[in-house]
Amino acid sequence: MALDAGIIIASTDLEKRGGIKHVYVTELANIATATASSTLHTYTALTMESGKTFFWLGHENETAGMNIALSKENGSTIVETSVELYIPAMDAVRHEELSKITDVPLMLVCLDYNGKYWAIGLDNIFGSNLASHQTYAKLMSAEGGSGAAWSDKSGLTISFSARTGELPREITGKTFTPNFTTGVVALS
């Protein structure tokens, strides 16, 4: 593939915010279809299996971030995308929900502070067939604890990772609306 346009930077691009506002998670098996654009690096359609949904991963402000590392390995492009966030106040309910996704292929959607949704754990190069997809996101670690001093934080920093053949794609034409009481995310 040859370049057909430059990378243009506008002055408004310099005023964008960093960080991830919301993280949504679902099991990869819950995704029915993901349609990649043939002209832009986006998913233009994303549908769920009947009765399935995304769930909101609540976290402390300014603790969620997405990191992308692209490298060449034996002539192949490999992209490692990681998402990290801090969940305050350890409790049995939060631990139970995290235990349900420890060994499950996942897809994450990260909403950044610029209003863009990013698909993590989908890959249109290595994993365009969702049934045999192996470039899913996975829960890699959960670290934290109670702390020792009264002023220490109590909670867990959790990390997800996906190893794919392309940079994360933006999801366009869809809106994710979390219910902050139940954690269920409506996709429209």
Side-chain angles (χ1 to χ4, degrees):
M1 175 189 292
L3 284 175
D4 59 4
I7 297 175
I8 310 304
I9 304 294
S11 60
T12 55
D13 294 327
L14 302 174
E15 303 300 324
K16 299 294 183 186
R17 289 191 175 115
I20 298 297
K21 184 175 183 178
H22 295 297
V23 178
Y24 311 125
V25 63
T26 193
E27 292 182 30
L28 185 65
N30 295 343
I31 304 296
T33 62
T35 305
S37 169
S38 61
T39 57
L40 290 174
H41 201 72
T42 62
Y43 285 110
T44 56
L46 184 68
T47 58
M48 305 291 290
E49 294 289 349
S50 179
K52 302 299 182 181
T53 189
F54 279 90
F55 292 95
W56 174 59
L57 294 178
H59 59 274
E60 190 173 296
N61 283 342
E62 296 188 61
T63 66
M66 176 175 63
N67 294 300
I68 303 164
L70 183 148
S71 63
K72 287 292 224 180
E73 297 179 20
N74 297 322
S76 295
T77 299
I78 302 298
V79 178
E80 187 86 30
T81 303
S82 61
V83 175
E84 186 174 284
L85 55 106
Y86 178 76
I87 300 174
M90 298 185 314
D91 67 24
V93 173
R94 291 176 180 138
H95 287 191
E96 177 65 20
E97 289 303 304
L98 285 174
S99 71
K100 292 176 183 176
I101 60 172
T102 56
D103 295 314
V104 179
L106 302 171
M107 181 202 169
L108 303 177
V109 172
C110 295
L111 172 62
D112 69 19
Y113 277 100
N114 301 301
K116 298 191 181 301
Y117 295 104
W118 298 101
I120 312 299
L122 285 182
D123 180 322
N124 201 51
I125 294 176
F126 295 140
S128 56
N129 179 353
L130 290 174
S132 65
H133 192 272
Q134 294 186 23
T135 56
Y136 51 83
K138 43 196 160 290
L139 178 62
M140 298 302 286
S141 68
E143 297 180 33
S146 66
W150 292 341
S151 61
D152 289 346
K153 289 189 175 196
S154 169
L156 293 172
T157 297
I158 61 173
S159 299
F160 297 90
S161 182
R163 188 171 165 90
T164 61
E166 65 180 1
L167 293 165
R169 288 178 181 259
E170 183 182 352
I171 301 170
T172 59
K174 290 290 179 184
T175 302
F176 295 79
T177 307
N179 179 318
F180 297 116
T181 302
T182 64
V184 173
V185 178
L187 175 63
S188 57

